[in-house]
Amino acid sequence: MSTIRDGYKPLPTEVTIKPSPIDGLGLFSVESIEEGIIVGLTHKSEFNFEDGYVRTPLGGFINHSNHANCRLVPRATDTGHVLYLEALRTIESGEELTTKYSIGRY
């Protein structure tokens, strides 16, 4: 079962942004993140934005991988839809967080 941590933080304390060997900048863990943990909010539905979502700082730096260690989890709220980043397995300190995604489809 997924666990959502209390409160919104633009960048959770468990991750940092730094140069990625995948592309540009990426999200990297600064401590171990257990499987099933919701790292944070990545996107919020907003019809005025491309693809119908606005990315949060966390969502702006997640890179794609065919062997992703995270996934985007949709949830409905009273103000629209949001996407959270969930760890698919334990992510070790220093490891890049990735998700498998397609442009325009979450």
Side-chain angles (χ1 to χ4, degrees):
M1 181 74 175
S2 300
T3 304
I4 298 176
R5 302 217 174 128
D6 294 331
Y8 169 76
K9 296 177 186 173
L11 197 60
T13 57
E14 297 89 352
V15 298
T16 190
I17 298 167
K18 64 182 189 178
S20 167
I22 296 172
D23 184 39
L25 297 172
L27 292 174
F28 290 81
S29 63
V30 294
E31 59 186 62
S32 181
I33 300 170
E34 293 181 29
E35 177 181 349
I37 291 293
I38 297 292
V39 179
L41 178 67
T42 62
H43 297 74
K44 181 178 183 325
S45 61
E46 176 55 59
F47 71 92
N48 289 322
F49 284 81
E50 185 178 350
D51 298 326
Y53 283 90
V54 61
R55 289 183 290 185
T56 67
L58 182 66
F61 293 98
I62 189 80
N63 278 319
H64 167 82
S65 172
N66 286 327
H67 306 286
N69 54 21
C70 294
R71 69 179 180 139
L72 296 176
V73 179
R75 299 269 168 87
T77 70
D78 57 352
T79 60
H81 289 90
V82 295
L83 298 173
Y84 288 99
L85 186 66
E86 177 185 27
L88 290 172
R89 61 170 175 77
T90 297
I91 301 167
E92 300 302 325
S93 180
E95 190 176 350
E96 183 168 7
L97 281 68
T98 59
T99 190
K100 187 173 183 177
Y101 63 82
S102 303
I103 300 298
R105 193 181 96 214
Y106 296 101

